[in-house]
Amino acid sequence: TGQHILSQAFIELGRAETRSFHLGDEEVVIDVDHPGPDALLLAKVEDRANEILWEDREVRIHEVPREEAGRFPLRKVPTVEGTVRIVEVRDFDWSACGGTHVRRTGQVGAITILSTERYKGGTRVAFVCGGRALRRSRERARLLRGLCLEFTSGEADLPKAVARLKEERELGKFRLENIRA
């Protein structure tokens, strides 16, 4: 259900259709038809998807003969024969899908985009939902706290601390090259 919502948010805000998706053990990946969404668009898409979750919209399942599937505003025309299973996120998305889904969008919990990369002329977007999103958030917070302790720095000052470390490393390399010469 989270994938349906995020894919529709990409269409709504970025005019980017989902070409394919993969449900992995740790994250979900969708390939969208967009050459490279910037950070602002990604934030807007993520916000829109989460708005749909927080509105706790009904998710309905329709099973109809293939010839009746056209009465729904589907993102992609199904290729299956016989009965078509359509998942509707009320007033937002209609997708032919045989997967498992929640009854209300609020049950998804949260959607968090993790990363993007260029892929076959489009963009591959990795994301997590629900409990996975919470676990990733905790992992990132733990990592951030560890870095803050390691650099004896606050979160806001971490970029400066890393820049200082890189500068010191470059200076050390320069000095070492001069000693060798």
Side-chain angles (χ1 to χ4, degrees), residues 8-112:
Q8 183 60 30
F10 266 106
I11 291 169
E12 186 179 281
L13 298 169
R15 295 187 202 116
E17 297 278 342
T18 295
R19 296 176 180 168
S20 65
F21 84 100
H22 173 72
L23 179 61
D25 290 336
E26 296 298 319
E27 60 192 31
V28 181
V29 173
I30 58 174
D31 296 329
V32 296
D33 190 16
H34 194 291
D38 60 17
L40 181 60
L41 177 58
L42 291 171
K44 287 180 178 181
V45 166
E46 186 180 66
D47 287 347
R48 178 65 172 140
N50 281 294
E51 284 174 15
I52 298 299
L53 301 185
W54 300 327
E55 290 171 1
D56 198 29
R57 295 182 184 205
E58 180 182 16
V59 177
R60 295 174 48 192
I61 306 297
H62 306 275
E63 292 190 0
V64 299
R66 179 154 179 6
E67 53 275 3
E68 289 184 31
R71 67 183 170 104
F72 296 92
L74 298 172
R75 282 190 277 125
K76 184 177 176 183
V77 178
T79 58
V80 298
E81 295 297 324
T83 302
V84 176
R85 187 169 181 265
I86 297 171
V87 178
E88 173 192 354
V89 176
R90 186 178 43 81
D91 299 327
F92 187 68
D93 183 63
W94 292 260
S95 299
C97 184
T100 57
H101 298 84
V102 296
R103 291 177 187 231
R104 300 197 65 84
T105 59
Q107 292 174 297
V108 173
I111 294 174
T112 302

Side-chain angles (χ1 to χ4, degrees), residues 112-130:
T112 302
I113 295 175
L114 301 174
S115 64
T116 63
E117 64 179 293
R118 289 181 187 256
Y119 183 74
K120 295 184 178 181
T123 301
R124 178 161 279 179
V125 180
F127 70 99
V128 287
C129 299

Side-chain angles (χ1 to χ4, degrees), residues 138-151:
R138 285 180 179 156
E139 288 169 14
R140 286 179 169 186
R142 187 173 46 252
L143 175 63
L144 189 55
R145 280 191 303 273
L147 288 171
C148 288
L149 289 172
E150 196 66 35
F151 283 100

Side-chain angles (χ1 to χ4, degrees), residues 144-145 147-149 151-164:
L144 189 55
R145 280 191 303 273
L147 288 171
C148 288
L149 289 172
F151 283 100
T152 59
S153 171
E155 289 180 21
D157 294 325
L158 270 180
K160 290 178 188 173
V162 170
R164 187 176 59 246

